[in-house]
Amino acid sequence: MSNCRIHENFEADFEKVLFDEEELQGIVHKISEEIKQDHRGEEIVLVVILKGSFIFAADLIRKLFPVCYVRVEFMQVSSYGDGAKSSGELKLFLDIKPKAVKGKKVIVIDDVVDTALTLSKIKKRIESLGAQQVQICALLDKEEAHKIDIQIEYKGKSILNEFVTGYGLDFGQKYRNCPYVGVLKKEVYEK
Ligand code: IMP
């Protein structure tokens, strides 16, 4: 017999909801207005950090139309492996081509800033490829967890230093398809 867990309602894995679908759309709208104000009529390159940012980026990009010309590039990095604690080491799985950002105004789109080490390394990498400007956009920010100073030009919400899941953010590659952002029950992390 298979030992697959039959689970009919993954919602029961969540302890609380931090931002529901409507709140998330409000946050994305606010960020899009700020970007449009700063980059009206300009061409910008959005570098989307996979995998956690893909849903946020998909919502944000459509809200920038028709005010900004948007190019989209992807980088895939990992500092968490499959767990809830940073390994501290940045692994680069997918990089961008230098010509995609050279001389361009770039906005890096990330899901959540924790220690800020990942974004700071990504920013340095894009600057070293000759970008004209590199700004940071993050849906969520765990300010208390920063280990390095970082300027986040476009920030959704500050949150407490707890592990959050949903709206693209995973725990062990799961829960990305949850439409809200929440905190899982302790026993789910400890399984
Ligand atoms: P940092 O380098 O510690 O700032 O880690 C940032 C990256 O770790 C994010 O882009 C996420 O991929 C991941 N991460 C950090 N905190 C969380 C969380 O609460 N839930 C899911 N992923 C997280």
Side-chain angles (χ1 to χ4, degrees), residues 171-188:
F171 171 63
Q173 299 302 326
K174 290 185 287 192
Y175 305 100
R176 290 193 200 277
N177 59 336
C178 172
Y180 49 81
V181 171
V183 177
L184 293 170
K185 287 178 181 157
K186 215 170 154 214
E187 57 263 34
V188 177

Side-chain angles (χ1 to χ4, degrees), residues 11-95:
E11 206 145 44
D13 291 351
F14 281 84
E15 181 190 293
K16 60 181 174 189
V17 176
L18 285 187
F19 303 108
D20 65 21
E21 290 181 71
E22 207 183 320
E23 287 169 310
L24 286 168
Q25 285 314 308
I27 296 169
V28 178
H29 176 77
K30 180 202 83 148
I31 296 175
S32 72
E33 289 300 312
E34 291 168 4
I35 294 178
K36 285 193 286 192
Q37 197 170 338
D38 292 351
H39 295 283
R40 180 165 297 276
E42 289 181 358
E43 181 181 306
I44 48 176
V45 181
L46 300 191
V47 174
V48 179
I49 308 302
L50 297 174
K51 300 177 191 171
S53 307
F54 79 106
I55 294 179
F56 167 45
D59 284 346
L60 179 64
I61 281 166
R62 283 174 287 176
K63 288 193 162 65
L64 299 178
F65 185 84
V67 175
C68 307
Y69 288 103
V70 174
R71 287 172 184 257
V72 186
E73 300 291 334
F74 297 97
M75 277 177 98
Q76 188 175 1
V77 300
S78 171
S79 56
Y80 274 69
D82 278 343
K85 285 214 176 83
S86 175
S87 66
E89 186 195 338
L90 181 77
K91 290 192 191 123
L92 197 58
F93 296 117
L94 175 68
D95 203 359

Side-chain angles (χ1 to χ4, degrees), residues 49-53 77-80 83-84 86 90 110-120 122 140 142 145-146 159-166 168-171 176 189:
I49 308 302
L50 297 174
K51 300 177 191 171
S53 307
V77 300
S78 171
S79 56
Y80 274 69
S86 175
L90 181 77
D110 206 3
D111 49 3
V112 53
V113 185
D114 188 345
T115 62
L117 294 171
T118 309
L119 269 178
S120 124
I122 288 172
L140 304 172
K142 301 182 196 176
H146 290 194
I159 58 168
L160 295 175
N161 189 7
E162 57 189 352
F163 199 81
V164 294
T165 312
L169 288 104
D170 73 310
F171 171 63
R176 290 193 200 277
Y189 296 119

